Amino acid sequence: MKKFLIATNFFKDENFILTSKIEDYIAMHGGSSHRITLDMQESADMSFSCDEVYDCIIALGGDGTILKVSRDLREWNLPIVGINLGTLGFLAEVEPEQVFAVLDRLMADDYEMEERMNIYGMVYKDGKETPIVEDIALNDIVVTRAGFSRIIGLKIYVNGRVMDIYEADGVIVSTPTGSTGYNLSAGGPIVCPKTNIMIVTPISPHSLTSKSIVFSSEDEIVIEVLKMRKAQEEEAIVNFDGQQGTQLSAGDRIVIRKSDTVTKMIKLFDVSFYEVLREKISNHL
């Protein structure tokens, strides 16, 4: 690798100190780079020339930064290496003190590649046959209560058959990568990110029997919003990887399937997911 696109969360790398050091190191060793600044509330600025061919994206921030990069730069289909300037960093494998050794390995093509499953969601409103939103998520698609709703009603279908009806604060449909995110906080299972499955986890369900369920990546999951509040039009909100949500009313549906796209992650260390999991969780306690 010689050409790098550096995507920096400017809230995490104050005054671009580490970013500048990375740029200087790459140039000093015969490579080239281009920097883009990420605002987590806005789409990445892609106004520079798209004719340039890059070998990978170096994302500086935390797991949220990598999710942002995977969304905004998805069409480029570039592998991502994450520099962890956040907290847990399940996706951001590299710590700041490892950066220059990692750059040496990248420029020597000494790395492995992992492909992470994405999920694809379509939002249908007002009984229409055409979705108003179509989007892809690396982590999860989440439906949560809107406005002053105390709980929402959600009917879950799997391959056209009713699986369950949740009265809850919401529901998470997670990828294996997202199993260590919101899904974990809601009591869902942790699964190896190399697998191809989907996890459905209710958020604070008003039932003692509602638990997470793991489905095949070949299954189709549909979430239908039920009417719970007579005086409130919007019952719920759906968002993809924590981005700005879409308001939902009773009768609206979200259809979720495995996406045809994958997110490429560069793996540099011979450390298993389970070792990383043990270290991250124990350090966070």
Side-chain angles (χ1 to χ4, degrees), residues 1 55-57 78-82 91 93-94 102 105-116 194 263-273:
M1 289 185 173
D55 297 314
C56 83
I57 302 168
L78 293 173
I80 303 168
V81 58
L91 288 172
E93 183 185 24
V94 180
V102 162
R105 289 187 58 184
L106 291 175
M107 288 188 278
D109 293 327
D110 178 18
Y111 58 86
E112 295 181 2
M113 195 87 70
E114 283 187 358
E115 292 187 346
R116 301 290 184 92
K194 293 181 181 179
T263 298
K264 299 176 183 176
M265 300 294 299
I266 290 176
K267 184 171 175 60
L268 292 146
F269 304 111
D270 187 21
V271 180
S272 74
F273 166 71

Side-chain angles (χ1 to χ4, degrees), residues 82-100:
I83 312 298
N84 183 30
L85 304 180
T87 50
L88 281 180
F90 282 103
L91 288 172
E93 183 185 24
V94 180
E95 298 299 327
E97 61 271 16
Q98 300 170 313
V99 163
F100 302 118

Side-chain angles (χ1 to χ4, degrees), residues 17 21 45 55 74 103 108 124 128 147-148 162 176 189 205 231 255:
I17 293 173
K21 290 179 179 178
D45 180 12
D55 297 314
R74 180 176 291 120
L103 289 173
Y124 294 86
K128 295 180 179 177
F148 297 103
V162 177
V255 178

Side-chain angles (χ1 to χ4, degrees), residues 32-175:
S32 63
S33 64
H34 181 90
R35 179 201 304 182
I36 60 173
T37 302
L38 294 180
D39 182 337
M40 301 304 286
Q41 304 302 318
E42 302 289 342
S43 295
D45 180 12
M46 301 299 293
S47 58
F48 63 94
S49 174
C50 294
D51 295 331
E52 184 68 70
V53 177
Y54 298 99
D55 297 314
C56 83
I57 302 168
I58 301 174
L60 284 84
D63 283 359
T65 304
I66 293 178
L67 291 175
K68 178 74 171 170
V69 166
S70 74
R71 292 179 61 79
D72 289 0
L73 309 182
R74 180 176 291 120
E75 291 183 5
W76 287 37
N77 195 33
L78 293 173
I80 303 168
V81 58
I83 312 298
N84 183 30
L85 304 180
T87 50
L88 281 180
F90 282 103
L91 288 172
E93 183 185 24
V94 180
E95 298 299 327
E97 61 271 16
Q98 300 170 313
V99 163
F100 302 118
V102 162
L103 289 173
D104 288 339
R105 289 187 58 184
L106 291 175
M107 288 188 278
D109 293 327
D110 178 18
Y111 58 86
E112 295 181 2
M113 195 87 70
E114 283 187 358
E115 292 187 346
R116 301 290 184 92
M117 170 186 161
N118 293 330
I119 50 177
Y120 168 64
M122 297 170 286
V123 181
Y124 294 86
K125 288 183 66 67
D126 305 321
K128 295 180 179 177
E129 296 299 320
T130 304
I132 64 159
V133 173
E134 297 178 75
D135 208 343
I136 294 171
L138 169 59
N139 248 22
D140 50 40
I141 299 172
V142 180
V143 180
T144 53
R145 57 191 174 90
F148 297 103
S149 290
R150 299 299 179 93
I151 60 172
I152 52 178
L154 300 168
K155 184 180 288 188
I156 312 297
Y157 300 83
V158 178
N159 301 328
R161 297 175 180 270
V162 177
M163 182 201 79
D164 204 346
I165 296 176
Y166 294 144
E167 291 188 4
D169 286 352
V171 68
I172 304 161
V173 180
S174 170
T175 66

